[in-house]
Amino acid sequence: MYLKRPAGPRVVTLEDGSSLSRSDLPSVNTSRWVAGRKAVVVKAVQSGLIDAAEACEMYNLSQEELESWCAAVRDFGETALKTTALQRFRQIEQRS
């Protein structure tokens, strides 16, 4: 039996010195997206562990949804991924 090796790196080092591997990614069967799982996917895409197209395919996400997660983290930090904070951050964006 042969195991298929995914293309690209299997482990990356993040800016804070911690490491992120493919085994740290959420399950492909994830249906409930809490802020922590979203943050791991965003970190994986930003660090080059997986590319955006692969993330969208793996997790059945639209490109716009993934981009909105990345923009929220870039502009406001991981707290912005929480559903309860979504309206507050949208109001801040509209004022700008």
Side-chain angles (χ1 to χ4, degrees):
M1 177 166 79
Y2 295 98
L3 297 176
K4 181 181 175 189
R5 285 190 172 179
R10 285 182 255 165
V11 178
V12 293
T13 302
L14 303 176
E15 291 178 5
D16 63 359
S18 63
S19 61
L20 182 67
S21 70
R22 288 185 172 268
S23 64
D24 295 327
L25 295 173
S27 167
V28 294
N29 299 323
T30 298
S31 60
R32 185 170 181 271
W33 284 99
V34 296
R37 291 186 188 124
K38 292 178 187 179
V40 170
V41 172
V42 169
K43 286 178 188 177
V45 170
Q46 290 176 342
S47 66
L49 182 62
I50 58 175
D51 63 4
E54 184 180 0
C56 289
E57 185 178 331
M58 282 174 61
Y59 298 113
N60 196 25
L61 302 171
S62 67
Q63 187 68 30
E64 293 81 20
E65 187 172 17
L66 182 60
E67 287 173 5
S68 72
W69 293 356
C70 293
V73 170
R74 181 186 64 241
D75 297 342
F76 305 108
E78 290 181 17
T79 306
L81 295 174
K82 293 182 180 180
T83 305
T84 55
L86 193 59
Q87 297 232 347
R88 180 170 23 124
F89 291 113
R90 281 187 182 157
Q91 289 171 355
I92 291 171
E93 283 181 339
Q94 289 173 353
R95 286 187 226 150
S96 300

